[in-house]
Structures are given as structure tokens and as C-alpha cells.
Amino acid sequence: MVNKQIKWRTLLVGAGFTLFFIALIFRVYWVQVVMADDLMNRAAQMWETDRILEPKRGTIFDRNGNILAENAQAYTVAVNPGIIHANGLEQAVVKGLSEILNKPEKELYELVTKRKKDGSFYLQVEIRNEGWKIDVGKANEVKRLIEKIEKEHDVRNAGIFLIEEQKRYYPYNTLASHVLGYLNKEGEAVL
């Protein structure tokens, strides 16, 4: 009786291992032969994808270790005219951003209500000059304005966005600017 049980258990374990190896061989065949073309195409796409890596400008020191130029956190203010119009927030957004950015309300109103030629609203309009590459303090004021508008008008999205960027900071202003180089208002390097 005991010998018979051992034989059945051995047979059952052997059958389990055999099924496992058959499944393993089938899976290897499936991946290597059946799916080979699809996997090779996907791999080729991954290898051949071009991606532009944005360089980060380093900090420049003088010989005494004083910083002459460095990157600082900056934000660009952008608005979504469609969302602002849909929620009826034009006046609140224009008034609030005008106070923070010191930009004329008339110019802001044109940006906040900007439409394409076909009459549809733009998805994103950057507020240049006054709202371009603002420091963290101004960005926090804009965040508070967003929260205030969303709370007062009971909306989830006020249509104002902050785009995180980098800004070149020169502690000594124009000192050695011709040697260091500098960025113009469009963010292009100038020597």
C-alpha cells in the first residue's frame, strides 16, 4: 500500500514537472518565434527614438569662490482663455494678474480672451515680459491668486498656470558680462 502511494506521488510530481517544462518550452517558442517580429519592431523604436536633452548651465565662480552667474528657479505665467471664458473669470483673472505682474489690464484682457482665426480659444497663452520667468515670490503670489479665484468662484480650475523654468542670475549685474556671456529677454545666449 505504501509503495503504491509513493509510486502515485512520484508519478504525480513527475507529471507536474513535465507539464511545467512543456509550458516553459511553449512560452519560449511563443516569444522567440511567434512574437519575434513585434518585439523587434518595438525594440527598434526604443533604440532609434531621438530625444533632445536640454543642457543645464553651470554656476560660474571667480577665483575667490564668489558666484558670478548661476541658475535660479523661475516661472512663466500662462493662461487658458477657454477655461477662463467657460467659468466667466475674465475680470477676476485680469484684475488679479494686473496687480501682481504690474501689466496693464487692457493688455491682459486681450491675452485672456485671445482666440484663433477659426474663433476657438487658444489652449495656452504665455504672459510675456511681466509674467515671463518670474521669481519664486511672485509665483507664490500667483498661486495664492489661483486659490482665491477658485474658492470665490467655486471652480476647480481658474485657467492660470505656472510653467517651471530656469533663469540665469548674475549677482553683480553687468560685471564681466562680456566675458561670461548673458541671456537676452528671449532666453538666447549672447556673447
Side-chain angles (χ1 to χ4, degrees), residues 1-20:
M1 184 83 166
V2 174
N3 270 346
K4 211 172 191 180
Q5 283 182 341
I6 292 174
K7 284 182 185 180
W8 275 104
R9 285 183 189 163
T10 306
L11 189 61
L12 189 62
V13 170
F17 276 117
T18 304
L19 286 174
F20 173 75

Side-chain angles (χ1 to χ4, degrees), residues 16 39 65 67 90 104-105:
L39 292 174
I67 295 175
E90 292 92 342
E105 287 187 17

Side-chain angles (χ1 to χ4, degrees), residues 55-140:
K56 290 187 178 182
R57 300 181 78 191
T59 303
I60 300 174
F61 299 94
D62 69 2
R63 67 181 178 176
N64 297 321
N66 299 321
I67 295 175
L68 298 176
E70 67 179 334
N71 286 338
Q73 195 68 33
Y75 298 88
T76 296
V77 180
V79 294
N80 183 323
I83 292 173
I84 292 171
H85 177 72
N87 293 320
L89 303 174
E90 292 92 342
Q91 294 301 322
V93 169
V94 168
K95 186 175 185 310
L97 287 178
S98 175
E99 291 173 3
I100 294 170
L101 302 176
N102 297 321
K103 187 171 182 79
E105 287 187 17
K106 183 180 179 185
E107 290 179 31
L108 274 171
Y109 189 79
E110 289 173 7
L111 294 173
V112 165
T113 59
K114 193 169 186 176
R115 293 180 185 252
K116 298 178 187 176
K117 289 181 182 179
D118 65 2
S120 63
F121 288 103
Y122 281 98
L123 294 177
Q124 178 176 312
V125 177
E126 289 183 2
I127 299 176
R128 282 296 176 149
N129 294 337
E130 296 87 346
W132 188 59
K133 292 195 176 184
I134 59 175
D135 62 9
V136 176
K138 287 262 188 213
N140 288 335

Side-chain angles (χ1 to χ4, degrees), residues 145-164:
L145 172 68
I146 294 168
E147 291 170 1
K148 178 183 169 191
I149 290 173
E150 288 174 350
K151 185 177 180 182
E152 286 178 1
H153 295 274
D154 195 29
V155 293
R156 286 187 175 188
N157 188 345
I160 305 171
F161 306 98
L162 291 170
I163 302 167
E164 192 171 327

